[in-house]
Amino acid sequence: MSPLVPGSRSAARGMRRTVAAGVPLAALAALAVAGTATGATAGSGKPSGRAAEVTGSATLGDLPLGGFSNRLLPGTVADDRGVDLGGIGSDIYPTGRKGEFWTVTDRGPNGQIKVDGSKRRTFPVPGFDPAIVKIRVTGDRVKVVDAIPITTRSGKAVTGLSNQESRDEKPYTYDARTPLSYDPNGLDTEGIVRAADGSFWLVDEYGPSLVHVSARGKVLTRYVPKGLNLKGADYPVVEALPSVLLNRKINRGFEGLALLPNGDLVMALQSPLSLPDGDAGEASRNTRLFRFSPKKQAVTAEYAYRFDAVGDVDPGEDDTSELKISSVVALGGDRLLVEERTDKAARLQEVRLTRGADILGDRWDDATTSPSLEQLDDPAASGVPVLGKRLVVDLNTVDGVQDKIEGVAVVGHGTLALINDNDFGMTDGTGAFDANGRLVDSGIETRVTYVKLPKGAL
């Protein structure tokens, strides 16, 4: 954990933003207007007549990404192309002190540009190293008070670049013209929890994988699906996850992670697997949760989870493939809070992980099973013990909640802390950068929002 002092930048923005420069990182903040809201639902899945409300909102100020990264690992970022620190909303986990949270960035600034009719994945800041970021919410400001770079066994940046040519999108420069090298160390980090010994557990979308990281950020072990055959990584790679996960949709691997009271971990697959093919996965509402025992270093259970209809989650959306799980939160015992979302809306469901719902090693883990779990319109009718769920709150009905919520934490009794992924201010397409290769910022900020739930909702 290192004290950080950022550099400075003066740049035009697409909309008014607070800029801080040349001051200690822990003092960086931006202003946001706290608001209140009404109109929540809880309990049985129908409006209860009671209200959830936003009780506070705080915003992260502008911090040049190059200054942030190079203070952690000198020389990693040669040119940040005008991008500020963002993307820390991949998850949020309480530190144990009021208003303080651990967060984690994803793989870094990235986008898509169509070239000759095909989309290419761009990495405008290819030297960026994913980081664990400790924040403090004070009033309407989010302050970065510490940061830990995620590193290989030899102390080098893992980077956020694609891993395998045969499996992941080919990485390109910011303008999608020049290919970049694959990096077997690369991680697209998402969920985060902290173990009792001070180490961290993260999930990654590439493998998908579960990653154990020391308190100082060094990758201790990366657990990947059996048969992945990831070669060349500068840290231990263990094939311990079910091979059916090799069929994950690109950019939709593990996203949510929860730490149960007994020390077990629950990993949520963001989207349905592409079984038997991509079309089936795109149309499916059936995804999966996996339970992992750190003591046994093995998956010990698997659960089928069925999304609500996309129009129920997001009344403005009709594309089922937009459904995602982004956050899972342990509520005590075997109870979980699960976030179903699109980019514009989110609903939180409570589930209980029962022994009778375990499908690990069943025929649904066989990629040749036909029809696949993902193809079932009514899994329960086919004998699949789908997890029962209870709607806790429809965040789409709570005024003041931002879009693209990816991190959820329970703080205090009946209060949630929500954080969004602002994608580092990136957008897709050729207009993402100006003629000088500098970011045309989307103006979307990273925000932490507190939502008070009705009594008895949790």
Side-chain angles (χ1 to χ4, degrees):
M1 299 184 182
S2 307
L4 306 174
V5 180
S8 63
R9 178 192 297 120
S10 176
R13 301 293 185 195
M15 62 184 292
R16 184 177 180 182
R17 306 177 69 195
T18 300
V19 179
V23 295
L25 181 63
L28 286 176
L31 300 177
V33 178
T36 57
T38 59
T41 61
S44 65
K46 298 180 180 180
S48 66
R50 296 174 293 177
E53 64 176 5
V54 170
T55 58
S57 183
T59 306
L60 177 69
D62 294 345
L63 172 63
L65 190 58
F68 171 83
S69 296
N70 290 329
R71 289 292 299 180
L72 293 176
L73 291 175
T76 52
V77 173
D79 183 356
D80 63 17
R81 298 198 174 278
V83 179
D84 288 325
L85 175 65
I88 67 170
S90 288
D91 204 0
I92 186 169
Y93 190 79
T95 67
R97 293 186 61 182
K98 184 177 180 181
E100 284 193 356
F101 303 93
W102 294 108
T103 67
V104 64
T105 70
D106 58 19
R107 57 184 166 179
N110 69 93
Q112 286 187 314
I113 295 177
K114 188 173 287 189
V115 178
D116 298 329
S118 298
K119 290 182 179 179
R120 292 181 175 180
R121 178 62 58 182
T122 62
F123 290 82
V125 190
F128 173 78
D129 184 45
I132 295 166
V133 182
K134 187 178 184 181
I135 61 171
R136 180 181 300 136
V137 177
T138 305
D140 55 11
R141 304 178 179 215
V142 175
K143 301 177 181 180
V144 175
V145 295
D146 209 343
I148 306 168
I150 302 174
T151 61
T152 67
R153 181 166 42 193
S154 60
K156 297 180 180 179
V158 295
T159 81
L161 295 172
S162 308
N163 293 169
Q164 297 174 296
E165 184 172 1
S166 60
R167 180 168 171 77
D168 301 316
E169 295 169 298
K170 188 172 185 62
Y172 284 86
T173 52
Y174 81 97
D175 56 3
R177 296 294 175 182
T178 306
L180 299 167
S181 298
Y182 287 87
D183 187 348
N185 293 313
L187 294 174
D188 187 0
T189 43
E190 296 294 342
I192 182 172
V193 297
R194 196 180 195 204
D197 64 1
S199 65
F200 296 92
W201 290 90
L202 313 170
V203 287
D204 151 78
E205 293 205 64
Y206 283 137
S209 52
L210 174 67
V211 187
H212 193 197
V213 176
S214 76
R216 294 181 178 272
K218 183 176 293 187
V219 175
L220 301 174
T221 310
R222 183 180 182 183
Y223 298 94
V224 302
K226 296 172 184 177
L228 182 65
N229 197 32
L230 179 64
K231 301 295 185 182
D234 183 24
Y235 46 66
V237 177
V238 177
E239 293 190 355
L241 308 182
S243 61
V244 72
L245 287 167
L246 294 173
N247 299 281
R248 65 95 174 96
K249 178 180 176 180
I250 289 178
N251 294 330
R252 298 285 183 90
F254 287 144
E255 179 106 349
L257 180 65
L259 177 63
L260 298 178
N262 71 348
D264 282 359
L265 301 162
V266 178
M267 305 166 287
L269 195 62
Q270 185 179 18
S271 296
L273 295 173
S274 296
L275 280 176
D277 52 36
D279 289 342
E282 294 281 296
S284 180
R285 287 168 49 196
N286 306 324
T287 191
R288 310 178 189 220
L289 307 180
F290 295 84
R291 186 167 182 157
F292 183 90
S293 168
K295 292 181 181 179
K296 298 179 180 179
Q297 298 185 51
V299 171
T300 59
E302 176 184 353
Y303 309 94
Y305 184 95
R306 184 160 173 82
F307 287 105
D308 286 346
V310 67
D312 292 337
V313 177
D314 183 351
E317 182 60 66
D318 60 6
D319 184 354
T320 297
S321 71
E322 290 299 313
L323 290 169
K324 312 172 183 75
I325 291 179
S326 273
S327 185
V328 287
V329 183
L331 295 177
D334 286 337
R335 294 165 55 234
L336 288 180
L337 193 64
V338 179
E339 181 202 10
E340 297 183 29
R341 74 166 181 91
T342 66
D343 282 354
K344 298 295 183 182
R347 296 179 10 144
L348 302 181
Q349 307 275 0
E350 180 186 334
V351 302
R352 188 179 295 274
L353 306 177
T354 63
R355 287 187 179 182
D358 184 8
I359 63 170
L360 183 66
D362 205 339
R363 65 185 186 276
W364 309 113
D365 280 348
D366 183 347
T368 66
T369 295
S370 183
S372 67
L373 172 61
E374 287 67 28
Q375 289 178 299
L376 301 178
D377 290 330
D378 188 350
S382 297
V384 180
V386 178
L387 290 175
K389 60 186 185 180
R390 177 184 69 89
L391 180 64
V392 173
V393 63
D394 183 348
L395 294 174
N396 198 40
T397 68
V398 183
D399 294 337
V401 173
Q402 64 270 41
D403 291 342
K404 206 176 183 187
I405 298 295
E406 291 200 4
V408 178
V410 176
V411 292
H413 184 69
T415 297
L416 305 174
L418 312 175
I419 192 168
N420 65 304
D421 178 9
N422 81 327
D423 293 319
F424 293 84
M426 284 279 300
T427 56
D428 289 334
T430 56
F433 291 85
D434 65 20
N436 295 315
R438 313 308 288 172
L439 179 70
V440 179
D441 198 283
S442 69
I444 298 172
E445 307 285 7
T446 298
R447 287 172 52 201
V448 174
T449 299
Y450 291 111
V451 173
K452 179 68 175 177
L453 297 177
K455 184 178 181 180
L458 283 180

